Amino acid sequence: LVATQWPTLTDAQREQWEAFATTAYPRDKDGTGAGPNGQSVFNKLNWYRAVLGLSFLTSLPTGSLPAPLISVTTGEMGAEDELVFVVQHQARPGIDRLLIETTPPLPRGSLKPRDNDYRLVKGLNPTSFITVAAPGTEYRITEIRSPVPAGRRFGLRISVLTPEGMVSNPVSLVTTKIIV
């Protein structure tokens, strides 16, 4: 439904979204290539808003782009379907959210997951977007979408999401599942 809205924008609105995309996201997620175009940013922002139950946005967001996380570390987990991590950040506790994505267990010998390997940690619903707590807080998520056995590697990607639907550049890591 979100993707069908781009053609309904005026030429001026589309030009504004193109300029916003170039300014807000000048590089791709890896920081090496060109960033997304206006239509991609428009669709993604409104997709996040829809999942969070927010209204559709045709004009540019008025808030500023959130700062990316400073660091992410994983902790010891109690089960294959549990994710434990700690983030250091400059986000607004109680206001911003964390957009959390994981991969299924990586094939043995795989060095890095592909961008399309990542999935929302709890599926397509608001529980995949956790409210930000104070820096250094341990987050524990159970019943994750892609369980990972002990000793297997997986990808974790986390971004900051504002109430308006603006998302920071992600912090990604590949880690080994430790179950105690």
Side-chain angles (χ1 to χ4, degrees):
L1 180 63
V2 169
T4 64
Q5 298 304 309
W6 179 256
T8 68
L9 298 180
T10 67
D11 288 342
Q13 286 174 313
R14 283 194 291 273
E15 288 172 13
Q16 289 173 341
W17 279 98
E18 291 294 345
F20 173 72
T22 302
T23 302
Y25 303 100
R27 297 269 178 229
D28 64 8
K29 289 180 180 177
D30 291 331
T32 56
N37 64 21
Q39 183 175 3
S40 295
V41 171
F42 171 84
N43 287 341
K44 182 85 52 159
L45 183 140
N46 278 299
W47 182 81
Y48 292 142
R49 291 178 62 84
V51 171
L52 293 171
L54 301 172
S55 63
F56 192 78
L57 188 65
T58 56
S59 58
L60 293 179
T62 56
S64 59
L65 194 66
L69 299 174
I70 297 167
S71 67
V72 177
T73 55
T74 56
E76 296 178 340
M77 299 166 220
E80 290 184 1
D81 69 344
E82 183 176 59
L83 175 63
V84 177
F85 62 92
V86 174
V87 296
Q88 298 299 331
H89 62 80
Q90 298 173 340
R92 299 169 297 175
I95 298 172
D96 293 330
R97 295 177 184 239
L98 297 177
L99 167 62
I100 305 158
E101 301 169 292
T102 60
T103 67
L106 295 173
R108 299 202 190 281
S110 174
L111 298 177
K112 182 178 176 185
R114 298 170 301 188
D115 190 53
N116 63 351
D117 290 336
Y118 288 92
R119 302 286 184 268
L120 289 172
V121 71
K122 298 284 268 184
L124 186 57
N125 64 68
T127 61
S128 286
F129 304 90
I130 297 173
T131 302
V132 172
T137 298
E138 181 179 88
Y139 296 86
R140 186 172 298 271
I141 304 170
T142 58
E143 299 177 6
I144 64 171
R145 181 178 179 183
S146 300
V148 178
R152 291 294 301 275
R153 296 171 64 245
F154 68 100
L156 173 62
R157 182 166 68 191
I158 305 177
S159 304
V160 177
L161 182 71
T162 68
E164 254 188 336
M166 293 179 59
V167 65
S168 71
N169 287 318
V171 171
S172 304
L173 63 97
V174 174
T175 188
T176 301
K177 183 80 167 235
I178 300 172
I179 298 178
V180 293

